[in-house]
Amino acid sequence: MSVFKKLLLLLAIVGGINWGIYGIWGFNAVGWLLGGSLTWVARTVFIVVGVAALCLVPSLFMSDTPQAQPGSR
């Protein structure tokens, strides 16, 4: 797994944990850490996390193991 995909996965995990905390306790951890949910910093983090999750969608449909080409060794 490339460093880029690991970073995307980390951002998606942060977003998932934040959603879980919000769903259970009604507390937005990212918004709290960054001074409120409507600050430009918090909104930028929300956008980056969302884009990271969208970038991971194609990896759901890709094979992890490389396929050998016929005739190659």
Side-chain angles (χ1 to χ4, degrees):
M1 183 181 281
S2 70
V3 174
F4 182 66
K5 279 195 176 181
K6 287 181 182 179
L7 179 63
L8 292 176
L9 185 58
L10 177 67
L11 288 171
I13 290 169
V14 166
I17 290 171
N18 190 51
W19 272 96
I21 291 170
Y22 187 78
I24 294 170
W25 293 292
F27 177 71
N28 184 352
V30 172
W32 177 75
L33 287 171
L34 299 176
S37 296
L38 298 179
T39 62
W40 68 270
V41 178
R43 291 180 61 147
T44 302
V45 169
F46 293 141
I47 291 168
V48 169
V49 168
V51 169
L54 286 175
C55 289
L56 287 172
V57 169
S59 66
L60 291 172
F61 305 103
M62 292 182 189
S63 173
D64 288 338
T65 57
Q67 301 292 326
Q69 297 295 326
S72 66
R73 295 180 183 218

